[in-house]
Amino acid sequence: MSGRLVAVVGPSGAGKDTLMEAARAALAGDPGFAFLRRVVTRPADAGGEDHIAATPESFAAMREAGEFALSWEAHGLLYGVPRAPLEAVLAVGGTAVANLSRAVLPEASARFPLRVLEITAPLPLRAERLASRGRESLEEVTRRLARQAPLPAGLDVETVVNDRSLDEGVARVLAGLRAA
């Protein structure tokens, strides 16, 4: 395996999805980068990231069949990174980019060459972004903002603070991805 997995992490409301979609568009012509779509037990039309929708039952069947390189549960949903596309990118020396949970980073680090791209933003800005989504109640937003586990020690981490314009945020993310 000669490629690298870049795990994108960050607290809710940091702007990960927006920045990653813009970075995906900017790197669309670069064969060295692949942005992996997660399988999520969320409807396809729920908004946010471009994901592969699954029911809890179909997700469990995929996990049992070994179709995920990594899988976890967070915020009442199940998430999985499909094995085949990740392994294909790594086999040819490419950089695979995936939105991961902090909780799965130790496993990812043990199994793949890993770099972590942490995207964050100041708490008031994150609260404003979450409230504007309209997907959760104020109580749910408050609980989501209170959750943030520290990054595991010993990882190769690049931190991007997303507190300026979209263009500046995207430039910072692209620099972090290219440095991987």
Side-chain angles (χ1 to χ4, degrees), residues 118-139:
E118 178 186 36
I119 298 174
T120 191
L123 185 62
L125 183 55
R126 292 176 35 226
E128 179 183 314
R129 289 173 179 164
L130 288 174
S132 71
R133 286 182 187 174
R135 293 194 312 218
E136 298 171 306
S137 70
L138 179 58
E139 181 180 309

Side-chain angles (χ1 to χ4, degrees), residues 1-179:
M1 211 176 315
S2 59
R4 176 170 277 203
L5 171 61
V6 175
V8 179
V9 300
S12 295
K16 294 182 305 290
D17 295 339
T18 300
L19 292 180
M20 295 316 299
E21 281 306 311
R24 178 193 316 253
L27 294 171
D30 188 332
F33 288 91
F35 289 76
L36 306 177
R37 291 174 66 208
R38 301 187 299 182
V39 175
V40 184
T41 55
R42 177 189 300 149
D45 61 357
E49 73 176 289
D50 179 21
H51 67 282
I52 301 164
T55 64
E57 297 78 17
S58 64
F59 188 96
M62 293 172 76
R63 186 169 41 206
E64 285 298 313
E67 294 182 33
F68 295 127
L70 300 163
S71 65
W72 64 96
E73 182 175 351
H75 312 299
L77 300 172
L78 299 171
Y79 297 83
V81 175
R83 176 181 306 285
L86 172 58
E87 290 179 352
V89 171
L90 299 181
V92 297
T95 299
V97 182
N99 187 346
L100 298 184
S101 166
R102 291 169 188 261
V104 79
L105 292 177
E107 179 184 354
S109 178
R111 298 182 54 212
F112 306 104
L114 182 71
R115 174 135 202 221
V116 177
L117 182 64
E118 178 186 36
I119 298 174
T120 191
L123 185 62
L125 183 55
R126 292 176 35 226
E128 179 183 314
R129 289 173 179 164
L130 288 174
S132 71
R133 286 182 187 174
R135 293 194 312 218
E136 298 171 306
S137 70
L138 179 58
E139 181 180 309
E140 291 168 323
V141 166
T142 301
R143 276 198 313 267
R144 188 177 283 265
L145 288 170
R147 288 189 296 250
Q148 182 172 342
L151 286 170
L155 298 176
D156 178 12
V157 178
E158 172 83 18
T159 299
V160 170
V161 178
N162 183 24
D163 62 350
R164 303 214 186 267
S165 71
L166 177 60
D167 288 343
E168 288 176 270
V170 172
R172 291 173 181 173
V173 166
L174 289 172
L177 291 174
R178 288 183 174 125

